[in-house]
Amino acid sequence: MSDTRRRVKVYTLNEDRQWDDRGTGHVSSTFVERLKGISLLVRAESDGSLLLESKISPNTAYQKQQDTLIVWSEAENYDLALSFQEKAGCDEIWEKICQVQGKDPALEITQDPIDESEEERFEEMPETSHLVELPPCELARLEEIADLVTSVLSSPIRREKLALALMSEGYMKKLLQLFQVCEDLDNREGLHHLYEIVRGVLFLNKAALFEVMFSDDCIMDVVGCLEFDPSLVQPKKHREFLTKTAKFKEVIPITDSELRQKIHQTYRVQYIQDIILPTPSVFEENFLSTLTSFIFFNKVEIVSMLQEDEKFLTEVFAQLTDEATEDGKRRELVNFFKEFCAFSQTLQPQNRDAFFKTLANLGILPALEIVMGMDDLQVRAAATDIFSYLVEFSPSMVREFVMQEPQQTDDDVLLINVVIKQMICDSDPELGGAVQLMGLLRTLIDPENMLAPTNKTEKTEFLSFFYKYCMQVLTVPLLASTVDEKNCKDLQEGSTKINPVCPDHFQTAQLLALILELLTFCVEHHTYHIKTYIMNKDLLRRVLVLMNSKHTFLALCALRFMRRIIGQKDEYYNRYIVKGNLFEPVINTLLDNGTRYNLLNSAIIELFEFIKVEDIKSLIAHIIDNYYKALESIEYVQTFKGLKGRYEQEKDRQTLRLNSRYRRDARTLDEDEEMWFNEDEDDDGEAIEKSRPEEEFPESYGKYMEAKKRGCQWNQRCQLQASHLAHLCRQSQRLPSQVGSATRHPGSQGELSLSTAILVAKTAMVGLVDYPDDEDEEDEDEEQSPRKRPRLGS
């Protein structure tokens, strides 16, 4: 749709009473069958999606403000607004709304939401009572006027009628002229009445009245009336502040008079809302909603007008980055950009994207590198605020700029390193700036916002860059503070020397806690890079030195760092901890803490409880083997006894598994042996000659060879068995003549029976295997020792 008259922005009012931009589109009014009535439809100009579908209800109060705004409430605490690009489009839609509701388009509001009882009373009133008759605008009638204005605030209908009466015949301007008369006469009573009148008119919440009251001719008189609060002994000097103290500084001359006037007006109205008017009560919160909207849309207009002036922004950036620019001038330029970025938060998303991209193209990030290194604390604070707006808008844009910086230059001039140094060197005792910068660094290194589909390698590239160029800068205070495992002794009583890296110095302890918080975040989200860094720098050992700090919060940060590492359940980390005996400082801290039941005690116990519950075997074995004697006396929790139990269970399992494997190998050999001995006795000697273990029982023989390699006792036994059996088979043909005729098989001449050969083999085997080292010479007869063969006797 090319008609710009219908081009609108859709806003909704959030819980914080701030307007949220829902998008830009084109509005139309048409009959919607589903809603059964004329409705307002807004379709997005980008993709045609439906941004708004709202039926024009006969009972809804619509307000027309500033010629280009229509505001209404659809439900409780759900306010909507349409901001038109052109006045003509606003007038068209307003006429349609008034047509549906049967109202005069000349009105600024169609009706007010009122309760039923008030509506009934209003209908019962005679027609003439609908009008609010204002007393003549005279000094003597100021009290009467004040009473009238105060009395109508509780009635929406009467507020509307009073607003119409005040706008007629220039009544408000006449009242403000009376203020000048009262001030000249020092008429305090009249000035107090004017305070009540002006405050009440502001609570009428009517945009048309604001246009008159906040015009250049009237706004300072409005401020003057609000100075004379009857509850104060002496009036405030708000006008003096606005005209003398608060100076409007044009860092670059603004040639557009309308823009200059809009800036002045917005600042003064914001001052009235934030400084002069008292904080509204719960019952008055909605009285100033139109005032909030007035300021909001003024800011949108200011940013839009400045952004469209390319010559102005170009000149601002040229002076900001010029080395010849004086520090004072640069300070003003930075403060201007801070306000500019703050105002930009009112823009709709598409326009806000374009705004920050414009700043990036003009060189806002290189400029920040310069100003963040200045000595002026105010400038650095303003630059930090600007940087936070940029990081919040697009972390990827900042990361892309950082990685494109020339890497051949000194690492110190890299933007992220400038930010890190700013954090480390924060002079605020509470480290307010350092906390803010740490949050920004955390956002930049968070992989969760590095998943843009347009650049899938962003995570790998940026993290490699960060750990190569920036991590060593971040950990400088930590490594310097833990160079020795002894506490710093520089802060002695009566000493004026303060060691800047002493971990017992409160401000340094706070800084180290921030750094540890960031490193703990890295352990959780940067698996590979941080693991490599920790191993190479032996970082955990250095961190655990801080367990000795007198500041419990710092000791807890160090413990939390170790807890997060163990929580990864990574065997590389576990081996690193075991090899370095890194539980020692933790256990020493637990023992030093004694029986005190405090947060440190609970955190340490939780660490060991986690190891027990997750059954991290390598750590359990290390703890029990090295530290159980020191821990076994702790009985107020069962954690360490539980670790001991886990340890014993694992040892039993390992022993059982080992024995089971050996028994399985032995049992297999016994079964193979019995199978060989129980072969058919009718087999001839040739069959016996072929019954070699490696041929007949390849599987058992393989296990036998494996046992041989291990040097097992079973290997010796099997070796002797095989040797004797081979010898027995070779002698089988000679046995008949040696044993005698009683051993010959009937019907065969000179041939040994198989059963006799087996009996001799069994007798010989047991004598060799069961007693290979027997020194008793009397037991040489192998057939005389059957009692020494219990296993084979079965």
Side-chain angles (χ1 to χ4, degrees):
M1 186 182 296
S2 59
D3 187 3
T4 59
R5 292 181 305 169
R6 298 290 183 92
R7 189 167 185 264
V8 296
K9 300 175 186 176
V10 181
Y11 293 93
T12 59
L13 196 65
N14 61 29
E15 295 179 354
D16 298 326
R17 310 302 297 172
Q18 299 294 323
W19 288 102
D20 291 334
D21 191 341
R22 296 302 182 188
T24 300
H26 293 85
V27 63
S28 61
S29 57
T30 184
F31 183 83
V32 177
E33 181 66 27
R34 180 173 59 84
L35 300 178
K36 300 187 183 302
I38 302 295
S39 303
L40 297 177
L41 303 178
V42 179
R43 295 193 176 276
E45 63 180 359
S46 57
D47 56 8
S49 60
L50 194 63
L51 297 177
L52 176 68
E53 184 181 57
S54 174
K55 179 182 177 181
I56 302 176
S57 172
N59 299 321
T60 299
Y62 292 85
Q63 290 185 11
K64 183 182 178 185
Q65 302 176 7
Q66 300 182 11
D67 294 333
T68 57
L69 283 174
I70 297 178
V71 183
W72 74 99
S73 298
E74 286 202 342
E76 185 177 359
N77 297 326
Y78 186 68
D79 295 345
L80 290 162
L82 294 179
S83 175
F84 289 79
Q85 181 173 329
E86 297 184 9
K87 181 178 181 297
C90 183
D91 292 341
E92 290 181 14
I93 297 299
W94 182 250
E95 289 177 4
K96 191 67 177 180
I97 293 172
C98 292
Q99 179 183 347
V100 172
Q101 293 195 341
K103 302 294 182 180
D104 183 1
L107 295 174
E108 295 290 338
I109 183 170
T110 58
Q111 56 189 299
D112 276 326
I114 56 178
D115 57 45
E116 184 177 354
S117 60
E118 183 176 355
E119 187 174 8
E120 291 174 354
R121 291 196 308 271
F122 179 74
E123 290 176 352
E124 294 172 358
M125 291 180 182
E127 186 67 24
T128 56
S129 66
H130 290 186
L131 301 177
V132 174
E133 184 175 351
L134 290 170
C137 193
E138 300 173 355
L139 285 176
R141 310 295 291 273
L142 285 177
E143 182 177 3
E144 185 179 349
I145 297 171
D147 292 340
L148 175 62
V149 171
T150 304
S151 66
V152 304
L153 294 179
S154 60
S155 169
I157 291 296
R158 297 191 69 197
R159 288 207 308 269
E160 174 64 23
K161 298 302 181 182
L162 176 60
L164 292 174
L166 290 172
M167 286 185 289
S168 64
E169 301 179 1
Y171 197 88
M172 276 305 305
K173 290 188 175 182
K174 294 178 182 178
L175 278 174
L176 295 176
Q177 290 173 358
L178 285 180
F179 165 74
Q180 297 175 6
V181 174
C182 288
E183 191 171 32
D184 291 340
L185 297 175
D186 196 19
N187 184 348
R188 287 304 178 93
E189 183 179 359
L191 291 171
H192 289 164
H193 291 320
L194 283 169
Y195 170 87
E196 299 291 348
I197 293 170
V198 171
R199 180 176 179 275
V201 171
L202 289 174
F203 282 156
L204 292 178
N205 208 25
K206 303 302 175 186
L209 285 173
F210 293 161
E211 292 289 348
V212 176
M213 298 172 69
F214 300 148
S215 63
D216 288 346
D217 297 336
C218 300
I219 190 167
M220 295 309 293
D221 289 333
V222 170
V223 173
C225 291
L226 295 173
E227 290 179 352
F228 292 92
D229 185 347
S231 62
L232 301 177
V233 177
Q234 293 293 330
K236 297 290 186 179
K237 298 182 178 181
H238 297 301
R239 285 173 295 172
E240 181 178 341
F241 175 83
L242 290 173
T243 55
K244 297 180 179 180
T245 306
K247 295 292 184 180
F248 177 63
K249 298 179 180 179
E250 296 180 79
V251 291
I252 302 294
I254 297 176
T255 57
D256 189 338
S257 59
E258 182 183 357
L259 173 59
R260 186 186 298 106
Q261 185 273 335
K262 187 71 66 176
I263 293 173
H264 282 298
Q265 183 188 60
T266 303
Y267 176 78
R268 291 165 178 169
V269 175
Q270 187 85 60
Y271 183 87
I272 291 174
Q273 183 187 45
D274 295 342
I275 305 300
I276 300 179
L277 290 178
T279 303
S281 66
V282 176
F283 304 101
E284 297 174 334
E285 283 184 353
N286 294 327
F287 282 2
L288 297 175
S289 61
T290 304
L291 183 61
T292 302
S293 301
F294 184 93
I295 296 170
F296 173 83
F297 290 111
N298 263 17
K299 291 180 178 180
V300 171
E301 192 171 351
I302 290 171
V303 174
S304 299
M305 294 172 72
L306 284 173
Q307 191 176 357
E308 292 170 1
D309 192 344
E310 296 182 0
K311 182 179 178 181
F312 177 82
L313 287 180
T314 303
E315 180 64 23
V316 170
F317 269 100
Q319 292 196 25
L320 185 62
T321 56
D322 188 355
E323 295 181 359
T325 302
E326 297 180 356
D327 290 345
K329 182 70 171 179
R330 185 175 282 111
R331 185 183 307 117
E332 294 176 357
L333 291 166
V334 172
N335 287 328
F336 164 77
F337 270 113
K338 175 186 172 182
E339 293 297 323
F340 197 23
C341 291
F343 276 30
S344 71
Q345 301 306 297
T346 62
L347 294 174
Q348 59 182 332
Q350 301 95 316
N351 290 345
R352 190 161 61 247
D353 291 353
F355 169 78
F356 282 110
K357 287 178 181 177
T358 300
L359 294 185
N361 293 334
L362 290 172
I364 185 64
L365 289 170
L368 286 177
E369 283 185 341
I370 297 174
V371 296
M372 290 186 78
M374 295 177 63
D375 295 332
D376 192 317
L377 295 179
Q378 292 183 351
V379 170
R380 291 211 305 260
T384 299
D385 290 337
I386 297 172
F387 185 67
S388 68
Y389 286 122
L390 295 172
V391 171
E392 180 182 353
F393 162 70
S394 176
S396 294
M397 180 183 73
V398 179
R399 287 192 288 262
E400 182 180 1
F401 166 78
V402 169
M403 288 189 291
Q404 290 177 351
E405 288 185 281
Q407 297 182 5
Q408 63 271 19
T409 61
D410 188 356
D411 292 351
D412 292 346
V413 301
L414 298 177
L415 177 59
I416 292 189
N417 286 346
V418 171
V419 172
I420 293 173
K421 288 193 172 184
Q422 180 72 26
M423 180 183 77
I424 294 173
C425 300
D426 188 8
S427 58
D428 181 6
E430 299 298 326
L431 296 184
V435 172
Q436 181 184 10
L437 289 170
M438 191 275 290
L440 298 177
L441 286 173
R442 181 170 176 164
T443 301
L444 288 174
I445 64 176
D446 187 357
E448 294 297 326
N449 57 48
M450 298 183 193
L451 304 179
T454 56
N455 186 5
K456 295 182 179 180
T457 62
E458 180 186 13
K459 176 180 177 180
T460 302
E461 292 178 354
F462 180 76
L463 290 182
S464 298
F465 173 89
F466 180 78
Y467 279 86
K468 181 178 180 181
Y469 294 100
C470 307
M471 182 57 88
Q472 68 269 22
V473 180
L474 177 64
T475 55
V476 162
L478 178 63
L479 298 178
S481 298
T482 57
V483 66
D484 294 316
E485 295 191 3
K486 298 178 181 179
N487 290 337
C488 291
K489 302 298 183 182
D490 291 332
L491 292 181
Q492 299 176 356
E493 185 176 357
S495 174
T496 58
K497 179 181 178 182
I498 297 179
N499 186 347
V501 296
C502 177
D504 280 345
H505 184 243
F506 180 73
Q507 188 169 344
T508 302
Q510 285 185 304
L511 175 62
L512 294 178
L514 288 177
I515 295 174
L516 281 176
E517 182 178 345
L518 202 58
L519 291 175
T520 304
F521 176 84
C522 293
V523 168
E524 186 174 3
H525 294 86
H526 304 166
T527 53
Y528 168 73
H529 294 86
I530 188 64
K531 185 193 305 181
T532 303
Y533 190 81
I534 289 174
M535 302 293 185
N536 291 340
K537 297 289 185 181
D538 198 11
L539 190 62
L540 181 55
R541 181 186 303 279
R542 306 290 287 271
V543 168
L544 291 177
V545 172
L546 301 177
M547 294 291 293
N548 296 321
S549 174
K550 68 179 182 181
H551 301 288
T552 304
F553 71 87
L554 183 57
L556 286 168
C557 287
L559 183 65
R560 190 181 304 117
F561 181 69
M562 185 178 189
R563 170 65 174 82
R564 196 59 54 87
I565 288 176
I566 293 175
Q568 301 303 301
K569 294 186 284 188
D570 187 323
E571 277 304 311
Y572 285 101
Y573 278 135
N574 295 344
R575 286 196 293 270
Y576 165 66
I577 292 171
V578 169
K579 183 178 180 181
N581 290 321
L582 298 182
F583 278 108
E584 182 175 344
V586 177
I587 293 175
N588 287 338
T589 301
L590 176 64
L591 298 176
D592 292 342
N593 190 66
T595 59
R596 289 191 293 270
Y597 183 65
N598 52 25
L599 183 57
L600 183 60
N601 176 274
S602 299
I604 296 175
I605 295 296
E606 191 278 334
L607 172 67
F608 290 104
E609 184 70 22
F610 174 83
I611 295 172
K612 184 194 77 173
V613 171
E614 296 297 326
D615 196 15
I616 306 177
K617 296 178 176 56
S618 59
L619 297 184
I620 292 175
H622 173 71
I623 294 168
I624 299 302
D625 287 340
N626 294 275
Y627 306 109
Y628 186 68
K629 289 185 178 180
L631 298 172
E632 63 180 343
S633 61
I634 299 178
E635 297 182 348
Y636 55 87
V637 290
Q638 298 301 310
T639 300
F640 300 107
K641 294 187 181 301
L643 285 172
K644 178 69 171 177
R646 292 272 192 182
Y647 175 78
E648 297 293 347
Q649 290 174 6
E650 181 60 23
K651 284 188 66 177
D652 292 343
R653 279 196 295 266
Q654 291 179 0
T655 302
L656 182 62
R657 192 181 303 117
L658 185 63
N659 293 338
S660 176
R661 182 171 69 250
Y662 287 161
R663 282 200 303 271
R664 183 169 60 251
D665 293 343
R667 185 167 53 252
T668 302
L669 288 171
D670 289 344
E671 291 173 356
D672 294 343
E673 183 180 299
E674 290 297 325
M675 289 175 63
W676 190 86
F677 282 125
N678 292 330
E679 283 182 339
D680 188 358
E681 294 184 359
D682 292 334
D683 291 346
D684 54 15
E686 184 180 357
I688 297 176
E689 191 73 28
K690 293 180 181 179
S691 296
R692 299 168 61 184
E694 63 271 28
E695 296 174 355
E696 193 70 17
F697 308 106
E699 180 178 354
S700 299
Y701 187 74
K703 294 179 179 179
Y704 151 72
M705 292 302 295
E706 180 182 356
K708 179 180 179 181
K709 293 178 183 179
R710 292 196 303 263
C712 174
Q713 182 179 1
W714 286 100
N715 178 32
Q716 299 175 4
R717 180 184 177 204
C718 293
Q719 185 177 7
L720 292 170
Q721 287 177 340
S723 175
H724 188 72
L725 285 174
H727 175 72
L728 185 63
C729 291
R730 289 195 299 269
Q731 298 297 327
S732 63
Q733 295 299 325
R734 296 193 296 273
L735 284 176
S737 59
Q738 297 173 0
V739 177
S741 61
T743 62
R744 293 191 180 96
H745 190 279
S748 62
Q749 298 294 328
E751 189 173 354
L752 178 68
S753 71
L754 182 60
S755 59
T756 303
I758 292 174
L759 177 60
V760 175
K762 288 184 177 180
T763 305
M765 276 169 41
V766 175
L768 289 171
V769 175
D770 287 355
Y771 299 93
D773 299 325
D774 192 356
E775 298 178 357
D776 190 351
E777 298 296 337
E778 296 179 358
D779 293 335
E780 289 180 355
D781 188 354
E782 297 166 347
E783 295 181 0
Q784 299 297 323
S785 57
R787 68 182 185 278
K788 297 181 182 180
R789 295 177 277 125
R791 186 178 66 82
L792 293 178
S794 62

